[in-house]
Amino acid sequence: MKISDFKKNIKRYFISSTIICLIFSKPAISLNYEHYENWVENFFINNFTNNFSSEFIKNIINKSKLKKNNFYKIDRIINRIHDRDFINPENYFDINKLRIRSQKAIKLSEYFEAELNTIETKFEIPKSILLSIWAVESDFGNAELPFTSLKSIVFHIYRDKRKNYFMNELKSILFIIENKKIEINKMLSSSYGAMGQSQFMPSNYLKYGVDYDNDGKVDLWDSEVDILASIANFLSSFGWEKNLKWGTEVTKTKKFPCYLEGPDIKKSLMDWETLGIIPVDKYTFKNIPYSTEMSLLMPKGEYGPKFLVTKNFYVLKKYNFSDFYALYVSTLANLIEGKKLFEGKWIKTLKLNHKKILELQHFLTKKGLDVGELDGLIGFKTRRSIGKNQEELKQRITCYPK
């Protein structure tokens, strides 16, 4: 992109000084290993010696420490994650990867047909959704799990981001270890401590993990039926409604403002159609009442496909709060069922990252607009605030920066 074009884009979207600051800002400073090992020892001694035996704590301290090369490896991975996936959908929705994954899922659905049928019957979750989440979370078990959950979680407490959250997860994992539910070295995880092929945090392992093969343990690493049943139990526990589709792609009139999207604006399918929101596939909701409440979803504002989604879409967001994540899972499930990809295209815009969006959120908040949580992600409240600010400035309302 030419500098002149770049400046035009910045000016056009009302946040020139802020964005320029963001684009040329330095990356986050990484952690230093120097005091890490001593910190781990003092941390456990100061916080857990009253609740566990000295022998248990000694073993946990030993098993909690990352070696120097892995310490910097996990730090690099976490810094990269902020700028990946859930911000630039044109990169995230890789059509070739979606098709390859759907083909793998179809083969696996045939191989595990009996198991999937019984799990679907028991938990009332479509097997296409189960296979889709399995694909996204671990590529059907092929993704690398480079750390143990214990080491990852302790690292995040040391990193001092979302400390209370990870402290609670640490308590869950200590309970798992103390009660010998699974061996420490077996609990391989992502850099955030999410365990196994279903990527359950330790607290979710305890709440929703299912020993479906009845071997006495919940095995999210090597037991496919435990993995699939646990995913199903998770979704069922959060209220997945049987026979209700997640949603469908729609077209929208230009007059209808994009800032009227979001889960807190619910209307019946009939009411949406009256407003000019029309399903691309008119047969999607063939067997559900016209009174069924839905919400408009525009994950990239006017620069991407548009959808009407049901409560089941928001159940998927319990697994991961990103709109893009839930939409990817839904789209892949559609392909597994033999349906087509959505017709709308993702229009390329200025590349964003976590830091740029966080600064944008601060900017909008100072103007009195509600962006929701200051999290560096463009959720529906941030999109709506962008749209309302554009309307105030008499600009084209897109609900997304370009």
Side-chain angles (χ1 to χ4, degrees), residues 250-253 256-257 260-262 264-279 290 292-297 307-309:
V250 296
T251 58
K252 180 184 78 66
T253 62
F256 190 87
L260 293 179
E261 70 148 323
D264 54 349
I265 302 175
K266 297 182 178 71
K267 299 181 187 297
S268 69
L269 179 58
M270 182 177 292
D271 287 341
W272 282 118
E273 289 189 350
T274 300
L275 293 168
I277 312 296
I278 311 295
Y290 256 67
T292 302
E293 288 191 331
M294 300 178 202
S295 300
L296 181 64
L297 172 73
F307 305 88
L308 279 179
V309 294

Side-chain angles (χ1 to χ4, degrees), residues 31-85:
L31 297 176
N32 194 303
Y33 188 77
E34 184 180 356
H35 304 293
Y36 164 74
E37 289 190 319
N38 286 336
W39 177 89
V40 172
E41 292 181 14
N42 292 330
F43 168 73
F44 278 102
I45 290 169
N46 293 334
N47 288 281
F48 295 100
T49 49
N50 292 335
N51 304 99
F52 300 95
S53 69
S54 57
E55 184 179 347
F56 180 83
I57 291 298
K58 185 178 179 180
N59 182 46
I60 290 296
I61 289 172
N62 182 48
K63 297 289 187 179
S64 295
K65 292 179 181 177
L66 290 158
K67 292 182 180 179
K68 190 173 184 178
N69 62 323
N70 281 330
F71 176 92
Y72 287 115
K73 179 180 179 180
I74 193 172
D75 190 36
R76 287 193 302 271
I77 291 171
I78 290 165
N79 285 334
R80 285 201 303 268
I81 284 172
H82 285 307
D83 295 344
R84 194 185 67 182
D85 287 350

Side-chain angles (χ1 to χ4, degrees), residues 108-137:
L108 286 168
S109 70
E110 294 169 355
Y111 186 82
F112 292 108
E113 182 178 9
E115 294 88 345
L116 280 164
N117 285 340
T118 58
I119 291 170
E120 183 176 34
T121 300
K122 179 174 181 177
F123 295 99
E124 300 185 337
I125 311 295
K127 51 191 171 186
S128 60
I129 292 288
L130 302 180
L131 289 163
S132 183
I133 290 177
W134 188 18
V136 175
E137 293 298 337

Side-chain angles (χ1 to χ4, degrees), residues 26 46 111 120 145 200 202 278 302 309 351 384 395:
K26 293 180 180 179
N46 293 334
Y111 186 82
E120 183 176 34
L145 298 174
F200 273 17
I278 311 295
E302 298 289 356
V309 294
K351 188 175 180 181
R384 292 200 304 209
Q395 298 175 343

